[in-house]
Amino acid sequence: MRAPKSFEEGMNRLEAILDQMQQPETTLAESVKLYAEAASLTEYCRNTLEKASLQLDEIDAKCAEVQTPGADH
């Protein structure tokens, strides 16, 4: 499995995997492979969200510094 190029691509692939796993013709062996791919994608998406959250926290902190009266900046 190649890594997704974006969070959105990862989420779209997860949705496709879910749809495929719900098909009655999907074998157990295929389901196990899909599950492994989904686990990797979930990890990628979680890490991407954590990075985005840290970036937002940094932006909020910078904005708070600018808006704080009497700040040394």
Side-chain angles (χ1 to χ4, degrees):
M1 181 201 99
R2 68 170 181 77
K5 294 180 182 176
S6 67
F7 174 81
E8 293 78 11
E9 184 180 309
M11 290 300 295
N12 287 337
R13 179 62 186 144
L14 279 169
E15 289 175 10
I17 289 171
L18 178 60
D19 288 342
Q20 191 173 352
M21 288 180 77
Q22 292 175 336
Q23 299 302 313
E25 61 272 2
T26 301
T27 66
L28 179 59
E30 291 170 331
S31 293
V32 170
K33 288 179 184 178
L34 290 168
Y35 182 86
E37 182 181 355
S40 293
L41 285 167
T42 300
E43 179 73 13
Y44 167 83
C45 289
R46 191 180 89 247
N47 288 338
T48 302
L49 284 175
E50 286 177 6
K51 288 177 188 176
S53 179
L54 288 173
Q55 289 174 331
L56 293 175
D57 289 344
E58 289 175 12
I59 292 168
D60 287 345
K62 288 179 184 178
C63 288
E65 287 176 10
V66 170
Q67 295 175 359
T68 303
D72 294 336
H73 302 351

